[in-house]
Amino acid sequence: MLEWARDLGLVVGAFEEKRLVAMRLGEFAGLTVPGASACDLELTAQWAAFICLVDDRFDRRWVDVHPEDVALLFNRLLDVITSGVGAGSGSGIEQALDDLWRRTAPRMPTQWRERFVADYRDFALATGEEVAGRTDQIRLGLSDYVLRRRRTITALPMADILECTADAPWPVLSGGEDIVGVLRLAAADVAGWTNDLVSAEDDLREDRDNLVTVLGRERGCSLSSAREQVIGMRNDRVKDFHALAASLVAMAAPGTERDAVRRYVATLESFVAATLHWLGVTDRFDARWSPGRPDLCD
């Protein structure tokens, strides 16, 4: 993964390379798609690296990031996955996405490609809203923050990728389409809220909103109390996720339909478990990685 990121210019220099290694994304991929081939394990880790490194360009040093910069970068990235614009001639970010897309999209049906583009576009819009809010010093209330966080965590685009690398496509389930969507949202909430618990100190250093600080502000409680409440929220959401997963499997008809549902559900369960573990061991949010980040559009 490091060689891939270096060759495409996604990371530049020893500092960025060490930081990428410290993220332990290979470990995340191994836990997420444990039965995948070596090629699909690698592809999963590389997608995770791309998602994390792009996301970090907006979450770090946000005073240097303007809404128009965010819109410009995401327009370029969306062009890559919708029309191939920028392939081979853009920035390291664009070249990395082009490489990933060429190795993933042809394996998947049109419906999947459309869903991934829609999910990534929504992530782009939510990130733009977040950066604009920071620029204008707008503080969201708890309910609004929760809704936006599930869009900025990039769990849904990553869940799309796992349909490919885990060979677990979105199941065709009579009467269960809505539950599959709700299950995905529960997975996104677990990932986003756990991420906020782990990154709380990092966010405080850079004066960014975080579920812990938003909840504390709205309820007028201490940060330690807010953290405990967020842990409770996250744990309840994990229970929601598993209850939804069990209900999906139970409603599937025996045979091929149930096998497909079980495979899809098992993949999302691995994703949630891997995310919970990885966020407890990754050094992505360590303070030593704060200085020296590249410009937004490099």
Side-chain angles (χ1 to χ4, degrees), residues 224-242:
S224 60
S225 174
R227 176 182 283 277
E228 291 303 313
Q229 292 179 63
V230 171
I231 290 172
M233 286 173 58
R234 189 277 312 276
N235 292 345
D236 288 343
R237 200 65 173 126
V238 172
K239 293 176 184 176
D240 290 342
F241 171 82
H242 288 301

Side-chain angles (χ1 to χ4, degrees), residues 28-29 32-33 36 39-51 81 97 100-105 107-108 112-113 115-117 119-120 154-169 184 264 267-268 271:
F28 168 78
T32 303
V33 287
C39 288
D40 280 335
L41 280 169
E42 182 179 65
L43 185 58
T44 302
Q46 290 168 348
W47 268 109
F50 170 81
I51 285 171
I81 59 177
L97 180 57
L100 293 169
W101 192 243
R102 288 176 183 274
R103 292 156 56 205
T104 307
R107 298 167 54 181
M108 305 302 288
W112 178 91
R113 295 195 292 270
R115 176 158 28 89
F116 180 88
V117 170
D119 286 337
Y120 201 75
T154 63
L156 298 184
M158 194 67 211
D160 295 331
I161 296 303
L162 299 180
E163 291 183 45
C164 176
T165 60
D167 189 22
R184 281 162 45 97
Y264 182 83
T267 296
L268 279 188
F271 174 47

Side-chain angles (χ1 to χ4, degrees), residues 104-162:
T104 307
R107 298 167 54 181
M108 305 302 288
T110 299
Q111 186 178 22
W112 178 91
R113 295 195 292 270
E114 291 173 348
R115 176 158 28 89
F116 180 88
V117 170
D119 286 337
Y120 201 75
R121 190 185 303 279
D122 191 54
F123 161 67
L125 290 171
T127 302
E129 293 166 9
E130 185 178 58
V131 171
R134 290 172 181 170
T135 302
D136 297 336
Q137 297 185 323
I138 296 172
R139 300 294 192 181
L140 293 180
L142 181 59
S143 60
D144 288 336
Y145 179 85
V146 166
L147 290 174
R148 182 182 291 171
R149 190 66 182 110
R150 69 169 51 144
R151 299 166 60 210
T152 60
I153 190 59
T154 63
L156 298 184
M158 194 67 211
D160 295 331
I161 296 303
L162 299 180

Side-chain angles (χ1 to χ4, degrees), residues 241-290:
F241 171 82
H242 288 301
L244 287 164
S247 70
L248 265 177
V249 173
M251 71 185 298
T256 304
E257 183 177 274
R258 181 164 292 179
D259 290 343
V261 170
R262 282 177 171 167
R263 187 168 186 83
Y264 182 83
V265 166
T267 296
L268 279 188
E269 287 176 332
S270 292
F271 174 47
V272 167
T275 298
L276 290 170
H277 171 80
W278 174 71
L279 284 169
V281 299
T282 181
D283 289 324
R284 179 185 178 194
F285 306 106
D286 193 290
R288 72 181 182 274
W289 306 119
S290 293

